[in-house]
Amino acid sequence: LRGYEEFIHHSVTLREGPEAACARMGFRVRTPEDVDRAARYFDELGCRTQRVAAGTTPGFGEAVRAIDPLGFTIELVHEIEHVEPLVQRYDLRRGASINRLDHINIATPDVPVAFDYYSKLGFGLSETIEDFDEKKLYAAWMFRKQTVHDVAFTLGSGPMIHHIAFAVPESHNIFSLCDTIGALDLQASVIERGPGRHGVSNAFYLYILFHDAPTTEIYTTDYFTGDPGHQPIRWDVHDERRRDFWGNAVVPSWYLAASGLLDLDGHPTPVHDQPVTERTVTVGADGLG
Ligand SMILES: [Fe+2]
């Protein structure tokens, strides 16, 4: 599957399996030599790595897979089959009019470790949620493309996928999707949170649930981060506008739910418990604010 503006073979693969899980997430590297550099990098970190031949993932050239320091199975590839982008094929657009895979939000029990690892991979920092008094990092947004993020980290049990997010052209696409969900009488089971405006990222958002897929965010209108002088925006964990700029409460399930991972052999990745989350510091473990 791919979005309308994507010109690569795919950005998402769905496979039938015995349980819902993320088998791997991938990043494209800039040159063919970077695939070899990535293999050496993860070898030197002591990570388990695996070279895979071109075509092992349909549409992908030679790639390297590794279990990274956070416990995620990742795939790094350069060569990808190009296809015709459909950005102006308005006659074909339907549903939420998905343009591209925008970002993956990772649930991790140790956000500073995740931040440090992705910094070394060359990711920039756009925004954080911190407890300024206790000097504790609860969440971080990091980018390679020149938007707010490609990955974000949310403090919680992990390693797990907190959500995956797809970008749509404009906020009206999100309103239209909500109308479609309502017309199908699926609002109770499908709409988890939103629509709303994030404080962090400034994006307009909707979180949806569908069967046992990871929580899915429909996302639009964040901002440009490509200026080399871009400075991170830091939010206090007690600022209620951080997750919703209009102050609407975050539903409990949003902090609690995440999807598991598979390792290189397809076995479930163990999860480390992290009882402290943003929810426990801002609302309390009993759910009462
Ligand atoms: Fe997100």
Side-chain angles (χ1 to χ4, degrees), residues 103-105 141 149 152 163-165 198 207 217 219 254:
H103 64 265
I104 297 171
N105 192 304
W141 282 255
H149 60 321
H163 64 264
I164 60 174
H198 283 309
Y207 291 92
E217 181 181 18
Y219 178 97
W254 192 87

Side-chain angles (χ1 to χ4, degrees), residues 44 102 168 213:
E44 284 165 16
D102 188 84
V168 298

